[in-house]
Amino acid sequence: MTDSYQFASFRDPSGFLFYKDGTLYRQVNQSYREHYDHLMKSGLYEALVSQGLMVHHAEIDDVEAVNKDLAYRVIQPEKVNFISYPYEWCFHELRSAALITLRLARTALDHGMILKDASAYNLQFVGGRWQLIDTLSFEIYKEGEPWVAYKQFCQHFLAPLALMAYRDPRLNLMSRLFIDGIPLDITADLLPARTKLRFGLMTHIHLHARTQKRYAGKEVRREDVKGKVSQRSLVGLLDSLRNTVKGLTIRTSGTEWADYYQETNYSESAFEQKKAIVKRYIERVQPSGVWDLGANTGEFSRLASDAGIFTVAFDVDPGAVSRNYIQARKNHEGNILPLVMDLANPSPGLGWGHRERESLVDRGPVSMVLALALVHHLAISNNVPLGKLAQFLSEISEYLVIEFVPKSDSQVQRLLRSREDIFDRYTVSGFEADFQVYFEILEQTPVPGSERILYLMKAKKR
Amino acid sequence: MRFGLFLKPLMYLDPGSGSFIIQMLLAGLLGIAVAIRIYWKKIVAFFRKGKTGDVQDQLDELDEYGGTNGIKSEKKDE
């Protein structure tokens, strides 16, 4: 990917992203000129960047625009380490992103602009917080006009948050089905009736859905609509949305995996020794980035992120991801991004041409993958043959730190208790043979006090 | 749908007519709420004169930066 359009960037006529010599630029079109100048001169850009609400950019003069007839400027936005999507965020991440979106809208209003686009996809985790990455999301505010992005905000943020808070945190996955946010009529049907007793949810979800239905496909003439939305009312709307979001909470304790470390048969010292080995492997390779697969609450991810390496900590359990995220926020950690991901069914390519939202594999390969206490879950609970697991891991990593958990381990025994043992090949020698097709084994270290073995591997060039 | 006065060439999102109308229905109410809140803050500020730093404001600030919001378990931060 050297010179090309960025595939997801096509909806907004104000401009688009493109790559040149491997660097990402954004073309700002003439049609957006007035708004761009206002953004830069009104103090809004300064305010947003200094508060860490939006990524900074540089105006570039020596890179030619892709479409010169349309172009006003070329800018180079701050780099984002890893693009994640709302259906991979836990409740608390989506909630933070929602509050930041409202704050962006509020700050814009103070500078005579309005947030025209409230897409959750426009927020990314940069420098330890959610920031707006789309510089062209603002336009000059005209008194009296309603908020054009109101529907989008409700669909992208409020609907999934309410569903997660009132039904189940796993419903974040519904955002994967509906690329422009969860439709409000479905949301209203799925939410329990008691949500109608809350002013915010009653108006922004239930009443909103009914009004949409009532006016769907109908021609509404301006002269029939007498009302205006004053700036004060708009502030009221944003405040009301903010209070609604802030009123949504979720429990993080008592999930399947979050208590895992307390329940394993590790002794304290075995756990510490395992940490020491993984740390040594990381120091040996010095990866530029790490994906920790099955990260739980990020205990091992932090061996990399604390060393200044940007680390994505994936786990299937939204509760564990929430706990990881809260810990990261409390300690102001900027190098760790916890995400919800089921490795047996990872995020696919979605949207237009399957390429608007990238699959997990397309966002790799990463310098190093950690797969600790993971193999047995995929190989035994999910029946993935070791060879196929090795192939998948070699597609997403350059270096791999992987732990083999033998059948004699009590965790594997637990998995086998309720099913027939059809895994003849699940042995140390079978594991090594299958992985050596795709990897070169650089080092292997038994974890003292257990029967497990840690490996450092390097993917073979294909 | 004709929102002639609203729709500008730059408006590439379909805002939905229902989503516009509900805002106009709510406009008055939400505007009044803002006014009340402003006066309420003034009244509260009058009685809290001399006290430094509103803790709630500081916590809200942290929230907007993606703070430890919405945590029900253990220590509640509000």
Side-chain angles (χ1 to χ4, degrees):
Chain A
M1 186 168 17
T2 49
D3 296 7
S4 63
Y5 286 90
Q6 207 274 342
F7 202 84
S9 175
F10 60 83
R11 284 218 171 84
D12 188 350
S14 310
F16 56 87
L17 293 164
F18 65 95
Y19 288 96
K20 191 151 185 87
D21 302 325
T23 307
L24 186 66
Y25 298 97
R26 190 186 289 279
Q27 173 172 322
V28 183
N29 287 340
Q30 283 290 354
S31 64
Y32 189 70
R33 177 180 193 151
E34 191 192 351
H35 305 281
Y36 179 80
D37 288 343
H38 192 96
L39 168 73
M40 300 309 288
K41 285 170 190 159
S42 63
L44 177 57
Y45 172 82
E46 188 66 35
L48 295 175
V49 171
S50 66
Q51 291 178 77
L53 296 169
M54 183 170 81
V55 296
H56 63 77
H57 69 252
E59 293 180 349
I60 304 290
D61 295 324
D62 55 353
V63 172
E64 277 196 0
V66 175
N67 197 329
K68 273 172 250 165
D69 300 342
L70 295 175
Y72 172 49
R73 265 188 204 290
V74 172
I75 61 175
Q76 186 185 346
E78 184 180 353
K79 197 169 164 274
V80 179
N81 277 309
F82 182 87
I83 297 285
S84 63
Y85 301 123
Y87 43 84
E88 297 163 349
W89 302 347
C90 66
F91 176 83
H92 295 88
E93 290 175 307
L94 186 61
R95 190 178 186 273
S96 294
L99 289 173
I100 284 171
T101 301
L102 293 171
R103 191 171 159 108
L104 284 160
R106 196 53 211 278
T107 312
L109 218 46
D110 291 341
H111 291 82
M113 296 196 92
I114 186 138
L115 187 70
K116 66 169 177 174
D117 201 339
S119 165
Y121 296 90
N122 280 349
L123 279 108
Q124 291 297 333
F125 198 70
V126 183
R129 57 175 59 142
W130 298 96
Q131 298 196 38
L132 183 72
I133 58 161
D134 183 2
T135 319
L136 313 185
S137 293
F138 303 96
E139 65 186 12
I140 295 165
Y141 171 65
K142 290 204 179 98
E143 173 85 30
E145 281 179 11
W147 189 24
V148 61
Y150 174 58
K151 174 181 139 191
Q152 203 181 23
F153 181 85
C154 293
Q155 292 187 166
H156 279 234
F157 293 104
L158 205 52
L161 283 172
L163 286 169
M164 285 156 87
Y166 280 94
R167 288 299 187 199
D168 194 299
R170 288 169 294 186
L171 287 172
N172 70 330
L173 281 172
M174 270 184 75
S175 301
R176 199 155 116 173
L177 302 173
F178 301 100
I179 194 97
D180 196 25
I182 306 171
L184 299 182
D185 52 345
I186 297 179
T187 309
D189 283 347
L190 290 178
L191 285 174
R194 67 195 154 101
T195 56
K196 289 183 183 167
L197 299 174
R198 300 194 63 162
F199 177 78
L201 295 175
M202 178 61 210
T203 48
H204 303 306
I205 302 276
H206 293 286
L207 204 60
H208 193 171
R210 283 177 67 172
T211 320
Q212 281 182 340
K213 197 175 169 191
R214 179 152 175 211
Y215 291 97
K218 286 208 181 110
E219 185 171 319
V220 181
R221 278 190 271 193
R222 182 64 182 96
E223 47 275 26
D224 297 341
V225 187
K226 299 235 163 38
K228 269 190 170 182
V229 181
S230 68
Q231 181 160 354
R232 177 171 280 184
S233 300
L234 212 51
V235 169
L237 180 71
L238 295 173
D239 279 357
S240 168
L241 287 168
R242 180 166 168 269
N243 291 335
T244 311
V245 170
K246 283 168 82 78
L248 296 170
T249 51
I250 201 168
R251 287 181 200 283
T252 57
S253 54
T255 59
E256 185 184 0
W257 297 99
D259 302 319
Y260 188 77
Y261 292 129
Q262 282 83 52
E263 285 167 14
T264 49
N265 53 349
Y266 275 120
S267 64
E268 186 87 7
S269 78
F271 192 70
E272 286 308 315
Q273 296 199 54
K274 180 173 158 185
K275 266 186 165 176
I277 299 164
V278 174
K279 192 162 185 251
R280 187 165 59 74
Y281 286 173
I282 293 170
E283 280 163 5
R284 177 176 162 179
V285 173
Q286 306 224 327
S288 57
V290 169
W291 291 359
D292 186 358
L293 309 181
N296 202 323
T297 54
E299 193 89 11
F300 288 89
S301 318
R302 283 182 173 75
L303 295 175
S305 65
D306 286 348
I309 302 159
F310 189 81
T311 303
V312 189
F314 297 102
D315 204 275
V316 67
D317 174 17
V321 175
S322 269
R323 278 166 66 156
N324 193 355
Y325 175 69
I326 290 162
Q327 188 188 340
R329 287 300 307 154
K330 274 184 179 160
N331 301 332
H332 303 282
E333 296 171 71
N335 281 323
I336 184 165
L337 170 59
L339 292 177
V340 182
M341 183 75 67
D342 178 4
L343 291 169
N345 181 24
S347 298
L350 289 177
W352 181 248
H354 299 290
R355 286 172 62 195
E356 231 182 303
R357 312 290 168 224
E358 288 186 317
S359 73
L360 178 65
V361 173
D362 285 341
R363 283 174 274 169
V366 67
S367 182
M368 179 183 265
V369 160
L370 303 183
L372 307 168
L374 178 76
V375 173
H376 53 304
H377 291 291
L378 291 172
I380 291 179
S381 305
N382 201 47
N383 287 20
V384 177
L386 289 171
K388 285 202 185 299
L389 179 59
Q391 184 187 4
F392 171 70
L393 292 173
S394 74
E395 279 171 24
I396 59 169
S397 66
E398 289 169 46
Y399 290 90
L400 171 67
V401 176
I402 189 165
E403 180 181 28
F404 182 73
V405 185
K407 270 188 196 169
S408 54
D409 192 281
S410 65
Q411 287 296 323
V412 181
Q413 283 300 315
R414 198 168 62 100
L415 296 178
L416 284 171
R417 214 173 289 151
S418 54
R419 57 167 305 160
E420 191 192 345
D421 183 356
I422 51 163
F423 309 99
D424 293 339
R425 211 173 157 71
Y426 193 85
T427 59
V428 173
S429 58
F431 170 82
E432 289 181 1
D434 283 348
F435 269 74
Q436 274 170 324
V437 176
Y438 300 96
F439 289 94
E440 181 192 340
I441 297 175
L442 301 179
E443 228 181 291
Q444 59 193 86
T445 321
V447 181
S450 80
E451 289 169 80
R452 304 178 171 201
I453 306 170
L454 281 166
Y455 293 86
L456 174 63
M457 303 188 188
K458 187 175 195 283
K460 288 180 178 169
K461 287 237 160 65
R462 290 173 302 276
Chain B
M1 200 200 314
R2 247 180 54 197
F3 263 100
L5 290 179
F6 293 143
L7 288 171
K8 288 155 285 174
L10 269 170
M11 198 178 276
Y12 69 101
L13 283 181
D14 168 24
S17 36
S19 300
F20 268 11
I21 286 163
I22 189 178
Q23 287 185 63
M24 289 177 215
L25 294 174
L26 290 173
L29 196 63
L30 294 170
I32 292 166
V34 172
I36 291 172
R37 219 168 296 147
I38 290 168
Y39 285 109
W40 181 247
K41 270 187 187 163
K42 280 184 183 162
I43 293 165
V44 171
F46 177 79
F47 285 108
R48 304 184 94 209
K49 230 185 260 173
K51 284 185 185 173
T52 49
D54 186 346
V55 180
Q56 185 62 58
D57 276 354
Q58 286 167 11
L59 284 171
D60 284 353
E61 198 78 347
L62 183 69
D63 269 1
E64 256 81 50
Y65 288 110
T68 57
N69 43 53
I71 306 155
K72 231 180 197 175
S73 58
E74 299 131 5
K75 287 174 225 154
K76 211 175 172 198
D77 63 344
E78 297 184 59

